[in-house]
Amino acid sequence: MKRHKVLKISLLVLLAIFAIVMLLPKDIQNPVEGCGSKSYNHNSFWHPWGDHNHRGVDIFAKKGTPVHPAIGGIVVTTASNKLGGNCVLVFSSGFRLHYYAHLSEVNTHFGAIVTRKSTIGKVGDTGNAAGKPAHLHYSISSPIPQGDWRFDPKLPSFYINPIRELEKSAKN
């Protein structure tokens, strides 16, 4: 009986958090502190990259520069893998997943509610960026098509052009 009550309360808390996240604005900020549009290549989204297309944008900055969420949300993954190195995945409004990779360090955890002011990590060169200039790989995906998107059947997911999203927010 107690277990059923705990599950019910947990589900209500998760639904409340989900509802709050869905009400957050969709406008994003550049996630790398102090960086603007001159810090990345404006034509890098979906550029051929080995056996796949580049699904995001690389924002170049000095190693150790703080990384903030481009938009508030809930941290759904912190991990380390051979491609992205140290990475963070944040679920935000519009059913969007924001992926931050190649971090030199991760400063958040699973389940954390983050805002644009939170520091989730620092720019680095981990994963397949080892030996290359320090940068943040940033991408936005969604299970549903929206905005300027491309579909990747390998994952499967829809990737939204983060460069266009960054440019939109810079104009506001």
Side-chain angles (χ1 to χ4, degrees):
M1 192 70 155
K2 281 187 178 184
R3 189 174 193 201
H4 180 70
K5 189 174 182 178
V6 169
L7 286 173
K8 200 181 231 184
I9 290 170
S10 298
L11 181 60
L12 288 173
V13 168
L14 285 174
L15 286 172
I17 291 170
F18 181 76
I20 290 167
V21 168
M22 291 302 102
L23 296 174
L24 291 171
K26 287 185 184 178
D27 291 340
I28 66 170
Q29 69 179 8
N30 191 312
V32 179
E33 190 171 289
C35 285
S37 65
K38 292 182 180 178
S39 302
Y40 55 86
N41 181 331
H42 291 254
N43 298 312
S44 61
F45 178 67
W46 221 254
H47 189 299
W49 194 263
D51 64 344
H52 66 280
N53 291 318
H54 192 244
R55 299 177 192 111
V57 60
D58 293 337
I59 303 169
F60 292 87
K62 183 179 173 188
K63 187 174 184 174
T65 303
V67 174
H68 306 285
I71 189 168
I74 300 171
V75 175
V76 294
T77 302
T78 61
S80 185
N81 61 60
K82 64 182 181 179
L83 291 178
N86 298 325
C87 52
V88 173
L89 189 63
V90 175
F91 178 70
S92 77
S93 59
F95 295 98
R96 292 180 173 190
L97 291 166
H98 299 260
Y99 178 67
Y100 307 86
H102 307 310
L103 300 168
S104 63
E105 62 184 67
V106 172
N107 302 117
T108 190
H109 58 86
F110 170 78
I113 297 173
V114 294
T115 69
R116 293 176 181 178
K117 293 181 181 180
S118 305
T119 299
I120 58 171
K122 295 190 176 176
V123 171
D125 59 357
T126 60
N128 67 0
K132 297 175 184 163
H135 66 279
L136 172 75
H137 173 83
Y138 172 61
S139 67
I140 308 169
S141 64
S142 176
I144 54 176
Q146 51 184 288
D148 181 12
W149 59 271
R150 304 286 171 101
F151 183 70
D152 186 342
K154 291 180 182 178
L155 293 179
S157 194
F158 295 94
Y159 283 83
I160 297 151
N161 186 340
I163 298 163
R164 293 248 170 90
E165 297 297 311
L166 287 168
E167 290 171 352
K168 272 195 264 181
S169 66
K171 290 178 185 176
N172 295 336

